[in-house]
Amino acid sequence: MLFTVITCIGTLKKSTADEDGVSCLVIGTESCDVFVLDPEAFIILSTMSLPAPPTMMDVTGQFDVEFRITVACRNGNIYILRRESEKPKYCIELSSHPVGLVRVGKNVVVGCADESLQGFTQKGKKLWTVLLPAPITTMASMELPARGLQAVLVGLANCEVQLYRDKSLLSSIKTPEVVSSICFGRYGREDGTLIMTTKDGGLIVNILKRTASFEDRAAAAGPPLAQSVRLNVPKKTKLYVDQTLRERESGAAMHRAFQMDLSRLRLAAAGAYVKALESSLTPMSCRLSEPLKMNAVVQGLGPAFKLTLNVQNTAACRPVANLAVSFLYDESLYRMRTPYMRIPLLVPGVVYPVETFVECSSDKGISDIIKVFVLQEGSSAPLLSAHINMPVSEGLTIN
């Protein structure tokens, strides 16, 4: 005789999983115990203890073979009991209290008070989470073995019943009132019947159509469907096999050769960079000691060219003043209107264009280099220099 209060009840098959097989009564009590009762003599066959009083349970398996009892307790955790174990084997800690518990195959689906639906393995590993539009009022499993469907029915407080397969929403049903309990199974001659009771005492019976299809409303985030299509990979040729064997046998030598070629490439690039810096053949120059940067742009087809120097102060907050630009060129080839110009105060971060015009005075069809120097007024040492490769004049020579 049990001197305690029963909090939840379930059934467990005794020895066979047949529908008409004998079942044992599984009782959860306020004393934090779970009892399995014999169906004939009503004696206690097994006793298991929990850390907190159970509120709901889901039972699967057979008592004489192997069974699992998934129990949601008042402390907000879910415990999994197994055969020949007096204490829980696994524990699932939730972010909020459970309001629904359904086992789907080998996974456990839990509805929480924070309007979320969460999936776990039978060992307690979290698989997925779905946020719901309203609080959960009731939950039930939906199984159609003929179609291979295992899903979860979730009743919501916004007068809606949603059907989920894992985290994918398959269907949604609008109800005239808030559903308080729900059950899916065989009713009369119909295998797929959904029976719902409402908060105000109403009864709703829906029969599943034989032509109903269950497809995901919104595809879950993941790889595209084309990724699962098998590629027509050609057969391995003898050349491929020989190359594979060669790579296996001489992999270390191939790696050393690759590293050697890479080092030579880096050395050649560094040498070219040093040569360009020493000869100043690029139209862009910068000074490490002074926060100055300059690049040159030549416009025109000739014989007249427009030369634009873009000077920039790269300092953080210090302006630069008293600068001038001087040009050095072959006077037999070019004429320049202003070979010496002053640069205004350079504010940090602002690009200042300095423009001048160059005229080609030679009819030999050759070009030369114009050297540009940025000087401090009163000093002959250049702060910045650059060499500009002038293009060949394509127009008439100006005399």
Side-chain angles (χ1 to χ4, degrees):
M1 186 173 181
L2 302 176
F3 297 98
T4 184
V5 178
I6 297 175
T7 56
C8 54
I9 295 179
T11 58
L12 174 64
K13 294 294 182 180
K14 184 71 168 60
S15 56
T16 61
D18 300 335
E19 292 185 1
D20 55 352
V22 179
S23 299
C24 301
L25 196 62
V26 182
I27 299 175
T29 64
E30 190 70 30
S31 59
C32 306
D33 294 324
V34 175
F35 301 101
V36 181
L37 303 183
D38 184 85
E40 297 178 355
F42 293 101
I43 60 174
I44 297 176
L45 298 178
S46 177
T47 303
M48 292 160 280
S49 59
L50 296 169
T55 57
M56 60 189 78
M57 68 171 59
D58 188 281
V59 186
T60 183
Q62 296 90 40
F63 179 79
D64 293 337
V65 183
E66 178 64 37
F67 64 86
R68 280 185 173 86
I69 303 176
T70 307
V71 186
C73 293
R74 201 170 293 164
N75 60 356
N77 296 337
I78 294 178
Y79 300 95
I80 298 176
L81 302 169
R82 299 184 62 178
R83 187 172 183 268
E84 297 179 355
S85 177
E86 296 182 355
K87 293 185 178 181
K89 184 71 174 179
Y90 304 103
C91 174
I92 302 175
E93 296 183 358
L94 303 174
S95 57
S96 62
H97 282 266
V99 295
L101 176 65
V102 175
R103 176 180 285 272
V104 181
K106 294 184 178 181
N107 297 334
V108 179
V109 181
V110 183
C112 297
D114 58 355
E115 302 180 11
S116 66
L117 195 66
Q118 303 179 17
F120 298 88
T121 64
Q122 58 187 3
K123 292 185 178 181
K125 181 181 179 181
K126 190 174 183 178
L127 298 176
W128 47 266
T129 301
V130 175
L131 298 179
L132 302 175
I136 299 174
T137 57
T138 181
M139 290 177 57
S141 63
M142 177 178 175
E143 295 185 4
L144 289 173
R147 301 190 184 185
L149 176 67
Q150 289 184 329
V152 178
L153 290 162
V154 182
L156 303 177
N158 60 351
C159 300
E160 189 176 0
V161 177
Q162 294 184 347
L163 177 64
Y164 285 91
R165 178 167 54 194
D166 292 335
K167 61 178 180 180
S168 302
L169 177 62
L170 301 181
S171 180
S172 180
I173 304 173
K174 288 289 185 180
T175 57
E177 300 172 2
V178 178
V179 174
S180 58
S181 63
I182 191 170
C183 183
F184 181 87
R186 183 177 180 84
Y187 181 72
R189 293 184 298 176
E190 296 293 336
D191 291 333
T193 305
L194 179 62
I195 300 178
M196 298 172 283
T197 60
T198 63
K199 254 186 175 181
D200 297 334
L203 180 66
I204 303 174
V205 179
N206 290 349
I207 298 177
L208 181 66
K209 294 182 180 179
R210 290 178 173 82
T211 59
S213 61
F214 300 96
E215 297 179 356
D216 297 353
R217 284 192 172 184
L225 296 178
Q227 186 171 328
S228 60
V229 178
R230 189 171 182 177
L231 298 178
N232 187 15
V233 180
K235 295 182 178 179
K236 296 180 180 179
T237 61
K238 186 177 183 301
L239 178 61
Y240 172 81
V241 175
D242 294 342
Q243 290 289 344
T244 305
L245 293 176
R246 185 180 71 88
E247 291 177 0
R248 289 181 180 176
E249 294 173 356
S250 58
M254 294 173 64
H255 180 71
R256 284 195 298 269
F258 171 76
Q259 292 294 332
M260 180 64 69
D261 294 341
L262 183 60
S263 300
R264 289 175 179 174
L265 178 61
R266 290 174 177 172
L267 180 61
Y273 179 67
V274 170
K275 184 178 180 181
L277 290 179
E278 291 177 350
S279 59
S280 298
L281 293 178
T282 58
M284 178 182 291
S285 182
C286 60
R287 184 81 172 183
L288 298 179
S289 59
E290 294 291 337
L292 296 177
K293 181 180 179 182
M294 178 181 64
N295 69 316
V297 179
V298 181
Q299 296 174 319
L301 299 176
F305 300 96
K306 181 181 179 181
L307 181 59
T308 304
L309 302 177
N310 296 314
V311 185
Q312 183 182 5
N313 181 8
T314 58
C317 59
R318 181 170 63 90
V320 180
N322 301 324
L323 297 180
V325 177
S326 178
F327 298 92
L328 181 62
Y329 56 93
D330 189 351
E331 296 182 357
S332 63
L333 296 178
Y334 300 106
R335 288 199 302 266
M336 189 170 292
R337 296 182 186 179
T338 52
Y340 182 85
M341 294 180 293
R342 291 183 177 180
I343 301 177
L345 177 70
L346 297 181
V347 179
V350 180
V351 178
Y352 291 85
V354 180
E355 299 176 352
T356 186
F357 291 90
V358 181
E359 298 175 355
C360 181
S361 58
S362 174
D363 56 354
K364 297 179 182 179
I366 60 176
S367 63
D368 197 6
I369 294 175
I370 295 180
K371 298 180 180 180
V372 184
F373 300 98
V374 178
L375 309 169
Q376 191 82 33
E377 289 187 1
S379 175
S380 60
L383 300 177
L384 202 62
S385 64
H387 289 193
I388 303 173
N389 290 313
M390 297 298 294
V392 179
S393 176
E394 298 182 7
L396 296 176
T397 302
I398 299 176
N399 295 320

